[in-house]
Amino acid sequence: MSLADELLADLEEAAEEEEESFPDEDDEEAIDVVEEEMELDLAVDSVKSIAKLRDSKQFAEIVTKMGDYIGKQRSSSEVTGPVESDPEYKLIVDANNLTVEIDNEINIIHKYVRDKYSKRFPELESLVPNALDYIRTVKELGNSLDRCKNNENLQQILTNATIMVVSVTASTTQGQTLTEEELGVIVEACDMALELNQSKHQIYDYVESRMSFTAPNLSIIVGASTAAKIMGIAGGLTNLSKMPACNIMLLGSQRRNLAGFSSTSVLPHTGYIYHSEIVQSLPQVRGSMGWGVSAHPDVQHGNRPFGPTRPC
């Protein structure tokens, strides 16, 4: 059989597998895209009325326990029995879950700040689509839009090209000056979002520092950061070990589209592993079904087409 015949046979086999393994197009669309309208009472006087995670008991307990463990460097020899029964392992899983809640909370605060600040600079939300960049920019500008010019703090947040566009747009905006009370509410919301983001990075640093004894082999392969994320979203090492390989690559994929929050297109069927260093360091190859990254030597030499992968 020639190389061309083998290629055609592989394509036919792949097509048959897709027809058998995947639901109808309408069903798949219903699974992949879940529109979630988040109704917020934007007339409240304080962001604390709609964003309550930072002051919650759960948040305080996890942060306190992390502080107790941070000063104690442990080794795998100190863990007796199943790792899932270790108290610190349970804390790691809870901390990972908390980072997901923090991201959702930051999105809520972003929407709150965006709607409140639109009175002063309505065009800014389209110029700075990233939630945290928008929040930092709002806090830096406040009522004085002239601060766009020669602002060193703003240069650490936005690119020079974006700053130029923001500055020009600010000079022609039809927005109205905010009262001290209105500005105070917005700054309070910005401070909360930035504090939550700082806590999220502290959790990431803590979890990554514990991966060497919790999941040493996984950490070596994909890195401590990626290992912490996929273990957390899988619900622990036991659940991760029982998961089919074709589903592990989808862990962390952004399948939910939060209406009003989404600002970028999401790569389909890609998760934390796709964005890990070991995958991103591979060269891109092009097959009959588009560009992609592959470590398989046959694919890199063009013997098989590269196409989008789907779950089992």
Side-chain angles (χ1 to χ4, degrees):
M1 182 181 292
S2 65
L3 181 61
D5 293 336
E6 291 180 0
L7 178 59
L8 291 175
D10 290 339
L11 288 175
E12 291 175 359
E13 182 180 351
E16 292 176 359
E17 290 179 356
E18 288 188 3
E19 291 177 359
E20 295 175 358
S21 302
F22 303 111
D24 295 338
E25 184 176 351
D26 294 338
D27 294 338
E28 185 179 3
E29 183 178 355
I31 293 174
D32 287 346
V33 181
V34 179
E35 294 283 340
E36 184 174 304
E37 292 287 349
M38 303 187 69
E39 297 181 0
L40 303 176
D41 183 7
L42 301 177
V44 296
D45 295 331
S46 174
V47 69
K48 293 181 180 179
S49 300
I50 58 174
K52 303 178 181 180
L53 178 63
R54 186 192 63 176
D55 300 326
S56 66
K57 181 179 179 180
Q58 172 199 10
F59 185 90
E61 288 179 351
I62 292 177
V63 172
T64 301
K65 290 180 180 178
M66 281 174 45
D68 295 338
Y69 278 109
I70 284 177
K72 305 175 183 178
Q73 287 294 337
R74 304 173 66 194
S75 62
S76 56
S77 60
E78 299 180 41
V79 181
T80 58
V83 68
E84 287 84 352
S85 62
D86 187 77
E88 188 174 10
Y89 171 81
K90 296 178 180 178
L91 174 62
I92 291 173
V93 174
D94 292 339
N96 262 319
N97 295 334
L98 183 61
T99 60
V100 177
E101 297 183 33
I102 289 176
D103 285 334
N104 293 335
E105 195 86 333
I106 290 176
N107 282 333
I108 292 174
I109 298 174
H110 171 229
K111 188 176 190 304
Y112 179 83
V113 172
R114 188 181 63 187
D115 289 343
K116 292 291 185 182
Y117 197 69
S118 62
K119 176 182 176 181
R120 181 67 184 98
F121 194 179
E123 299 88 352
L124 183 62
E125 64 178 274
S126 61
L127 302 177
V128 186
N130 180 271
L132 284 171
D133 288 346
Y134 179 88
I135 289 171
R136 292 188 181 102
T137 302
V138 168
K139 184 179 179 181
E140 182 64 29
L141 295 181
N143 260 330
S144 305
L145 302 186
D146 292 338
R147 293 180 183 174
C148 293
K149 303 175 181 178
N150 301 323
N151 189 318
E152 294 183 359
N153 293 332
L154 201 59
Q155 291 175 358
Q156 298 177 1
I157 304 171
L158 307 175
T159 63
N160 291 332
T162 303
I163 293 175
M164 182 183 303
V165 175
V166 170
S167 178
V168 172
T169 308
S171 64
T172 60
T173 185
Q174 300 298 317
Q176 304 173 3
T177 303
L178 300 169
T179 64
E180 289 296 326
E181 182 179 354
E182 291 172 332
L183 184 59
V185 169
I186 293 173
V187 171
E188 178 190 27
C190 292
D191 289 338
M192 178 182 288
L194 296 177
E195 182 180 337
L196 285 171
N197 184 62
Q198 183 179 4
S199 298
K200 182 180 73 171
H201 286 286
Q202 290 175 350
I203 292 174
Y204 281 153
D205 292 340
Y206 164 72
V207 174
E208 290 174 21
S209 68
R210 293 304 190 262
M211 282 296 100
S212 59
F213 84 89
T214 303
N217 296 334
L218 183 62
S219 300
I220 292 175
I221 296 173
V222 297
S225 176
T226 303
K229 292 176 182 177
I230 64 176
M231 189 190 74
I233 199 171
L237 283 177
T238 300
N239 292 339
L240 181 62
S241 65
K242 296 177 180 179
M243 188 172 295
C246 55
N247 289 345
I248 292 179
M249 67 180 182
L250 300 181
L251 294 177
S253 60
Q254 301 180 28
R255 303 181 67 173
R256 176 167 296 182
N257 178 24
L258 297 178
F261 295 155
S262 180
S263 60
T264 57
S265 59
V266 180
L267 290 172
H269 310 299
T270 57
Y272 292 133
I273 292 181
Y274 177 84
H275 297 286
S276 65
E277 182 180 357
I278 190 174
V279 176
Q280 292 300 314
S281 61
L282 296 172
Q284 284 193 336
V285 295
R286 185 177 185 180
S288 60
M289 301 177 71
W291 285 95
V293 176
S294 175
H296 197 289
D298 288 339
V299 177
Q300 292 181 359
H301 287 85
N303 294 336
R304 291 175 60 90
F306 179 86
T309 54
R310 295 192 175 189
C312 293

